[in-house]
Amino acid sequence: MTNLLAIMNDILDFSKIEAGKLELEVAPFNIRHTMEECVNLFAPYAYEKNIEIILLIYQDVPNNIIGDSLRIKQIVSNLLSNAVKFTHEGTITIRVSLETAIQDKVELCISVSD
């Protein structure tokens, strides 16, 4: 049921993007908690395949940021889902690094590699 809901949300978001109507939420959230939620969601599937998921959040990344945590979860979950599905052995690494920080604005880089 959760997978079906996720697919429906993805389709709705895609149609909003196509129509130019997708609005990103602007709210404070903890990036570490958000990333850990994604990892915890896919950890059982990775464990079944004997794959290790490593989450690396660099020290200079601020804990609390303002942005759209739901969209970040959605994107990272899609990437993790594909990584778990197509990785047969080894590790999946998620990195969160600080690209730029100018006054009160930051740009993060989130990558998933397998």
Side-chain angles (χ1 to χ4, degrees):
M1 184 69 159
T2 303
N3 287 339
L4 182 58
L5 183 59
I7 291 169
M8 290 179 66
N9 283 336
D10 288 347
I11 292 168
L12 289 172
D13 287 345
F14 184 72
S15 65
K16 286 179 186 177
I17 291 169
E18 288 291 309
K21 303 280 186 189
L22 181 68
E23 293 182 24
L24 297 177
E25 186 177 326
V26 179
F29 69 98
N30 185 300
I31 188 67
R32 283 171 172 75
H33 292 158
T34 299
M35 299 305 294
E36 287 169 358
E37 286 176 15
C38 291
V39 170
N40 291 338
L41 182 65
F42 290 94
Y45 305 111
Y47 179 79
E48 287 176 6
K49 294 180 71 174
N50 202 29
I51 299 168
E52 182 180 15
I53 298 178
I54 300 170
L55 174 60
L56 298 174
I57 301 176
Y58 294 94
Q59 286 183 325
D60 58 352
V61 173
N63 286 327
N64 299 305
I65 61 175
I66 296 174
D68 194 333
S69 66
L70 178 64
R71 298 291 174 245
I72 290 174
K73 279 189 221 176
Q74 192 176 34
I75 293 165
V76 172
S77 292
N78 283 336
L79 294 171
L80 268 176
S81 174
N82 285 338
V84 170
K85 186 184 309 179
F86 297 111
T87 300
H88 301 291
E89 62 182 30
T91 61
I92 297 169
T93 304
I94 305 155
R95 287 182 178 81
V96 181
S97 60
L98 181 66
E99 288 291 306
T100 59
I102 300 172
Q103 295 174 359
D104 62 344
K105 295 184 183 202
V106 297
E107 183 177 310
L108 302 179
C109 177
I110 301 172
S111 65
V112 176
S113 59
D114 54 349

